[in-house]
Amino acid sequence: MIYTAETKQKMDSIMEAFAEYIQEQSYFDILYSEKVGYIRIIAEMPEAESPMVIETPDSLVETIIGDVADDLIAEKLRKPLPEDEDLPEEIKAEIYQQIIESVGRIGEDREHYLDLARNYCQNRFEKRADGEI
């Protein structure tokens, strides 16, 4: 995939905002290829999962914030949460804070990405009145 100059610039800005987080990870990496664009790979076992081509700035943000959330959950819980249990509020708050802080470093279209991050957190961690997440 070849991005437009504007899309590539937006994606570069997102990568810059999350560069420290991505660099610290041993589990995955996000690489750029001039032939296909940004690619997320599983670094610990690249053969275990096919690389994921990231097509848009929004999907890049969603991919990274999903990894941030998963990492914090794994770090804080240290064991899988039973399906019928909700994530503790303090962990939700920490995930939200870290995601919003990181997304806030994105220069261009910051408000759009902050809204995307808020929606992600709401959809993933807040239960609706009918009991569904």
Side-chain angles (χ1 to χ4, degrees), residues 63-126:
T63 298
I64 297 171
I65 65 177
D67 285 322
V68 169
D70 291 344
D71 287 347
L72 278 170
I73 290 168
E75 175 187 322
K76 298 296 179 183
L77 293 181
R78 303 200 192 269
K79 61 182 180 178
L81 187 68
E83 285 190 34
D84 60 342
E85 287 188 34
D86 195 18
L87 198 60
E89 291 301 318
E90 62 272 8
I91 295 176
K92 289 180 192 179
E94 189 172 341
I95 291 168
Y96 182 78
Q97 179 183 353
Q98 185 165 340
I99 286 172
I100 295 300
E101 181 180 303
S102 296
V103 172
R105 289 192 296 264
I106 299 172
E108 191 175 330
D109 296 328
R110 177 182 299 127
E111 288 305 316
H112 169 73
Y113 297 123
L114 285 169
D115 286 342
L116 192 115
R118 287 183 197 103
N119 288 337
Y120 172 87
C121 289
Q122 182 177 23
N123 291 336
R124 182 161 180 191
F125 301 118
E126 292 183 18

Side-chain angles (χ1 to χ4, degrees), residues 38-65:
Y38 280 103
I39 305 166
R40 181 183 181 276
I41 61 166
I42 302 302
E44 290 181 345
M45 294 177 38
E47 69 282 357
E49 184 178 298
S50 296
M52 179 178 105
V53 176
I54 302 171
E55 297 180 359
T56 66
D58 285 5
S59 63
L60 180 58
V61 169
E62 289 173 341
T63 298
I64 297 171
I65 65 177

